[in-house]
Amino acid sequence: MSLRFAIITSLLEREATGLELTRRFDRSFGYFWPASHQQIYRELRSLLDAGLIEEKGDPARPGRGQPRVVGVTEEGVASLRRWIGELDEPRPERSSLAVRIRAAAATGELGGVEDAVRRHLAAHTATLETYREIERRDFADRLLDAEGELHHLVLRSGLANEQAWIGWCEDALELLQRLRRSE
Amino acid sequence: MSLRFAIITSLLEREATGLELTRRFDRSFGYFWPASHQQIYRELRSLLDAGLIEEKGDPARPGRGQPRVVGVTEEGVASLRRWIGELDEPRPERSSLAVRIRAAAATGELGGVEDAVRRHLAAHTATLETYREIERRDFADRLLDAEGELHHLVLRSGLANEQAWIGWCEDALELLQRLRRSE
DNA sequence: CTTGCCATGTAACGCGTTACATGATTCT
DNA sequence: AGAATCATGTAACGCGTTACATGGCAAG
């Protein structure tokens, strides 16, 4: 359900075409809920059918290849407000690295895993740097309004997560190297 | 793909029936790659068809309701060894709490979010406690072999993750309360 | 006029989730 | 005999991913 409401929220911040939305889900919004253009168009269709969003601008621009701007309806805003307070459980964690490490432990095939860990470490390091740049640019110690504070809070979630992964990857590399040397 | 190899790994550690596997994916193995019995039976069928696992024990026990023990074939072990060294990217993070907070920021509807954060905080706290118990029980400072060290490493991944979430949830609650009071 | 980009879509598949179905065995 | 538990499955749906299709428009 979250994609649905992520799209409504993004459209509430500013109405957009499918492609503009796709770009938002490739950067800012995508940092905590990524989505491809295929997912977005599929969901826009469903949101239109449900009457939670509507087409804005010239309706005499039908068909393929033409940009279609959509915005949130009153009912869309109402459904978003209702959803905000709903309770759910954290999504279960899944780590392919952890599976690889258990597999390596079971087979004794330790060699290949190090590269996999290094790849993840590099990816997390790059993401962390991206987040830090955003923090410097948008949240560097000046006074923020409530909305700014909340956006900063969301960014800090990403920062904390990447830092945790980086720390663990370094830990993992250290152990793997130690085990490799003492074979 | 990871579920496939998680199952092979688990069966390599010890052969099992579908239900026994299901229980493993509800505890130990499930802490880093959860799976339901429906997923497991579906995947077992596919692994049997691919010849990566095979039925052990009395083959004159067909049909429904009867336990069927399976084990890994040589080809299964070979495919696992191949997979271990493959490179992939970290799975993209998705946080429904982050979506809710952005939605709250966009609508001004701050009230409901606090409960959602508290629920996640409680869940992460409970999971962390589970992991700590396992650490005390299985990894309390005695000498471990390579396999034990690797299992401990995987557990520490879960520990780090839960701790990161807990820290962020507390941070979030503090901010939400501050914003609520200064309205 | 063709190449490239903007823009909107379709189709098929993989994997996770929810709900339900079927049969064997054991306990009361 | 009925209930509980062990055990194996089916069916349908939701959402993410991959691959491909269609069309408009601008630059060279």
Side-chain angles (χ1 to χ4, degrees):
Chain A
M1 286 276 79
S2 297
L3 176 58
R4 220 178 161 71
F5 296 102
I7 288 176
I8 295 179
T9 301
S10 186
L11 288 176
L12 201 58
E13 291 173 3
R14 178 186 302 241
E15 45 188 54
T17 67
L19 192 62
E20 281 162 6
L21 263 179
T22 299
R23 288 201 232 281
R24 292 183 200 168
F25 279 80
D26 252 9
R27 298 176 289 112
S28 49
F29 234 94
Y31 295 144
F32 51 91
W33 204 280
S36 65
H37 82 271
Q38 292 92 332
Q39 280 177 275
I40 286 167
Y41 284 115
R42 185 204 273 164
E43 199 64 44
L44 285 180
R45 167 58 43 210
S46 146
L47 285 165
L48 280 167
D49 290 348
L52 304 185
I53 63 174
E54 64 191 354
E55 219 164 323
K56 299 285 184 179
D58 192 1
R61 295 277 295 286
R64 218 153 177 153
Q66 292 305 99
R68 296 170 59 174
V69 177
V70 290
V72 184
T73 63
E74 275 185 36
E75 214 186 319
V77 177
S79 83
L80 180 62
R81 282 176 188 276
R82 253 178 276 122
W83 177 77
I84 288 174
E86 278 178 25
L87 299 180
D88 65 353
E89 298 295 313
R91 308 165 60 79
E93 283 297 319
R94 286 186 168 83
S95 164
S96 64
L97 278 188
V99 178
R100 267 179 238 279
I101 285 167
R102 286 284 294 238
T107 62
E109 189 86 20
L110 285 193
V113 197
E114 259 178 71
D115 283 343
V117 176
R118 259 190 282 272
R119 163 81 67 106
H120 281 236
L121 175 56
H124 287 301
T125 304
T127 306
L128 178 62
E129 191 42 44
T130 303
Y131 291 172
R132 283 193 168 141
E133 270 167 34
I134 294 168
E135 191 174 40
R136 278 194 293 272
R137 197 190 57 211
D138 297 349
F139 305 103
D141 57 11
R142 39 186 154 107
L143 289 176
L144 296 170
D145 57 7
E147 197 174 359
E149 295 263 35
L150 291 168
H151 285 208
H152 191 194
L153 174 66
V154 168
L155 180 64
R156 288 203 301 277
S157 160
L159 283 162
N161 189 267
E162 297 306 319
Q163 280 163 341
W165 272 111
I166 288 169
W168 180 81
C169 284
E170 285 166 350
D171 189 7
L173 283 176
E174 205 179 299
L175 174 61
L176 289 167
Q177 281 158 19
R178 182 155 60 77
L179 291 176
R180 182 155 49 81
R181 277 195 305 270
S182 72
E183 249 170 16
Chain B
M1 286 277 80
S2 297
L3 175 58
R4 221 179 160 70
F5 295 103
I7 288 177
I8 295 178
T9 301
S10 187
L11 288 176
L12 200 59
E13 291 173 3
R14 179 187 301 242
E15 45 188 53
T17 67
L19 191 63
E20 281 163 5
L21 263 179
T22 299
R23 290 202 230 280
R24 294 183 198 168
F25 278 82
D26 252 10
R27 298 175 290 113
S28 51
F29 234 94
Y31 295 144
F32 51 91
W33 203 279
S36 65
H37 82 271
Q38 292 92 333
Q39 279 178 276
I40 285 167
Y41 284 116
R42 184 204 274 162
E43 200 64 43
L44 286 179
R45 167 58 44 209
S46 147
L47 285 165
L48 281 166
D49 291 347
L52 303 185
I53 64 174
E54 65 192 355
E55 217 162 324
K56 301 284 184 179
D58 192 359
R61 296 277 295 286
R64 221 154 177 156
Q66 291 305 100
R68 297 170 56 174
V69 177
V70 290
V72 185
T73 63
E74 277 186 35
E75 215 187 317
V77 178
S79 83
L80 181 62
R81 284 176 187 275
R82 254 178 275 122
W83 177 77
I84 288 174
E86 279 178 25
L87 299 180
D88 66 350
E89 299 294 316
R91 308 167 58 83
E93 283 296 319
R94 287 187 167 83
S95 165
S96 63
L97 278 189
V99 178
R100 268 180 238 277
I101 285 167
R102 286 284 293 237
T107 61
E109 190 85 18
L110 286 192
V113 195
E114 258 177 72
D115 284 342
V117 175
R118 259 190 282 271
R119 162 83 67 108
H120 281 236
L121 175 56
H124 288 300
T125 304
T127 306
L128 177 62
E129 191 42 44
T130 303
Y131 291 172
R132 282 194 169 139
E133 269 167 34
I134 294 169
E135 191 174 41
R136 278 194 294 272
R137 196 189 58 210
D138 297 350
F139 304 104
D141 58 10
R142 40 187 153 105
L143 287 177
L144 297 170
D145 56 6
E147 197 173 0
E149 294 263 34
L150 290 168
H151 285 207
H152 191 193
L153 175 65
V154 168
L155 181 64
R156 289 203 301 277
S157 159
L159 283 163
N161 190 266
E162 297 306 319
Q163 280 163 341
W165 272 111
I166 288 169
W168 180 81
C169 283
E170 285 166 349
D171 188 7
L173 283 177
E174 203 178 300
L175 174 61
L176 288 167
Q177 282 158 18
R178 182 155 60 77
L179 290 176
R180 184 155 49 83
R181 277 196 304 270
S182 73
E183 247 171 15

